Amino acid sequence: MAADKPVRRVALLTAGGLAPCLSSAVGGLIERYTEVAPDVEIIAYLNGYHGLLSGRHLDVTPEVRAKAGLLHKFGGSPIGNSRVKLTNTADLVKRGLIADGQNALQVAAERLVADGVDVLHTIGGDDTNTTAADLAAYLHEHDYDLTVVGLPKTVDNDVIPIRQSLGAWTAAEQGAVFARNIIAEHSSNPRMLVVHEVMGRNCGWLTAATAREYRGWLTEQEWSPAIGLDPKRWDVHAVYVPEATIDLDAEAERLKAVMDENDCVNIFLSEGAGVPSIVAEMEARGEEVGRDPFGHVKLDTINPGAWFAKQFAERIGAEKTMVQKSGYFSRSAAANDRDLALIKECTDFAVDAALRGESGVVGHDEERGDELRAIEFPRIAGGKEFDPAVDWFTALLTEIGQA
């Protein structure tokens, strides 16, 4: 959109999985428009691209504007999410979102035109924002200028080239809260193996950050080993991420010694760790591996935590195993103070960029000196790897005795 073209109506949508930033980001965008451009109309498509295709939206009324600040206190998304890929025609036809023979990009584009939308704000991961870029490109080819300004949402902090995704800090903090209760289960049985499975398809940042948050809490507690309240039993004994090779034999030997000493073993595991091995095993048995509309393996159907528990249980002499997943607990939380500050910084910038007619995904650009900017859509990608060699993570592994 040309910078001098007036912005009359903007639309918001949240898409993909939940993260502890969606509600706050919606609230922040509404607050910023109300502050700097109160005459701009705002609508919100319900359930992301699902609502855009089906034409369902709500109007942001004066009452909603007046109470926008309440959205910072809640998790989830007040306008709903869905996983919809506009270029997956077969899936969209199957779900009844388009008719056979229709082009979803055209359907969505015509809806935006009919609704008089000048700016579309997307809050989601790389799939959400690159889909928005496809939509903007389609509209441009058909002589309709649409400014698209995205905000990055992934709990595992894996969007290239963005330094920090909105909500990821909160997800790590909440995963650590979840772990406090789950690791207490080490006392439920002799020789207990507890596996805490953390979200993270291809990136181990959230698992590593959750372990760091949990161990921070651990060091702040007062203990009484004489009665069994021993920090060694409450500690994390292993952290496995997709980016690091796991020597199962060597780890089994190490963890058996931990089990013999402490009567328990507590593992933090990224759900993406070992996935290629698990998928290969399933397919070799002739089992079908479920995938989502974006072609990603449905991790909840292959149970990486159960697979790792099975690999270790007999080797370390576990009498009982427990696998618990913190993902849904963590991703649906309200943003913490650290994330709220980041969300405000990014939503303020996103509105200002939109009013300038500047498209892109707002974040601190790691390839441009961590400058906060609207990063060009072609540079946005998922799958940013966590660096397991960073000092704080190697220090953590050294402290727990993991090579």
Side-chain angles (χ1 to χ4, degrees):
M1 180 186 297
D4 57 353
K5 180 179 178 179
V7 175
R8 295 157 301 194
R9 173 176 276 196
V10 304
L12 319 177
L13 68 79
T14 60
L18 296 181
C21 65
L22 297 175
S23 184
S24 179
V26 170
L29 291 170
I30 294 171
E31 287 178 319
R32 183 62 173 175
Y33 274 110
T34 301
E35 176 187 0
V36 301
D39 293 334
V40 171
E41 297 179 18
I42 306 173
I43 65 172
Y45 288 108
L46 300 177
N47 301 110
Y49 291 115
H50 194 291
L52 178 56
L53 289 173
S54 57
R56 295 179 300 114
H57 75 261
L58 59 79
D59 296 322
V60 175
T61 63
E63 179 185 3
V64 172
R65 290 176 187 259
K67 294 186 176 182
L70 294 177
L71 298 179
H72 299 301
K73 300 179 180 181
F74 291 87
S77 171
I79 57 178
N81 275 34
S82 64
R83 290 190 182 276
V84 172
K85 186 175 180 65
L86 295 185
T87 55
N88 190 339
T89 302
D91 178 68
L92 297 175
V93 171
K94 180 180 178 181
R95 296 165 71 176
L97 293 174
I98 62 172
D100 194 14
Q102 281 188 309
N103 178 338
L105 284 172
Q106 180 180 356
V107 172
E110 289 176 352
R111 172 56 57 188
L112 289 165
V113 172
D115 290 340
V117 174
D118 300 307
V119 174
L120 176 64
H121 285 285
T122 56
I123 310 164
D126 58 291
D127 289 327
T128 297
N129 287 309
T130 53
T131 296
D134 291 340
L135 189 56
Y138 179 91
L139 283 164
H140 182 73
E141 290 170 5
H142 292 79
D143 300 320
Y144 185 88
D145 286 328
L146 176 74
T147 299
V148 180
V149 184
L151 290 165
K153 168 241 58 163
T154 57
V155 294
D156 40 0
N157 196 29
D158 70 338
V159 178
I160 298 170
I162 292 171
R163 184 187 68 195
Q164 188 69 32
S165 296
L166 309 185
W169 282 321
T170 304
E173 179 182 85
Q174 290 297 311
V177 171
F178 181 92
R180 296 178 200 173
N181 288 0
I182 295 309
I183 288 184
E185 289 284 342
H186 76 264
S187 60
S188 67
N189 204 80
R191 300 189 71 84
M192 186 74 178
L193 169 60
V194 176
V195 178
H196 173 198
E197 186 178 321
V198 184
M199 278 187 167
R201 178 180 300 280
N202 299 309
C203 179
W205 181 90
L206 182 58
T207 301
T210 301
R212 176 172 59 171
E213 288 282 339
Y214 176 79
R215 296 196 81 247
W217 169 82
L218 191 82
T219 60
E220 295 172 353
Q221 308 312 304
E222 186 174 356
W223 302 95
S224 181
I227 190 61
L229 188 61
D230 191 332
K232 293 181 180 179
R233 295 180 181 176
W234 284 78
D235 207 345
V236 181
H237 302 126
V239 183
Y240 300 133
V241 297
E243 297 85 354
T245 301
I246 304 168
D247 186 332
L248 288 174
D249 292 331
E251 279 297 277
E253 183 177 353
R254 182 180 73 85
L255 293 177
K256 185 178 185 305
V258 173
M259 178 70 84
D260 291 343
E261 178 183 358
N262 299 309
D263 203 37
C264 66
V265 166
N266 306 314
I267 295 174
F268 276 40
L269 169 74
S270 173
E271 64 181 356
V275 165
S277 298
I278 301 170
V279 170
E281 277 191 15
M282 293 177 66
E283 291 179 337
R285 294 193 299 265
E287 298 178 25
E288 183 178 351
V289 178
R291 298 180 185 273
D292 68 16
F294 293 90
H296 304 315
V297 172
K298 291 183 177 179
L299 294 174
D300 58 344
T301 66
I302 65 173
N303 292 318
W307 187 86
F308 271 91
K310 181 180 178 182
Q311 305 307 307
F312 282 124
E314 185 174 349
R315 300 191 200 191
I316 68 176
E319 185 174 305
K320 182 180 178 181
T321 63
M322 171 177 283
V323 179
Q324 293 290 332
K325 305 179 182 184
S326 62
Y328 292 110
F329 177 88
S330 300
R331 76 177 198 169
S332 56
N336 65 13
D337 288 343
R338 193 178 185 188
D339 265 318
L340 286 172
L342 178 62
I343 291 165
K344 177 169 175 50
E345 184 180 17
C346 290
T347 52
D348 283 359
F349 190 98
V351 170
D352 296 347
L355 294 174
R356 292 193 300 268
E358 182 181 356
S359 292
V361 180
V362 174
H364 293 89
D365 190 337
E366 291 183 306
E367 298 170 1
R368 301 287 191 278
D370 286 340
E371 177 188 355
L372 180 65
R373 54 191 302 273
I375 300 168
E376 299 79 7
F377 281 109
R379 297 177 53 222
I380 298 296
K384 181 176 74 173
E385 293 187 350
F386 168 65
D387 180 7
V390 294
D391 290 345
W392 63 265
F393 187 60
T394 57
L396 185 154
L397 295 185
T398 298
E399 290 167 5
I400 67 175
Q402 180 177 338

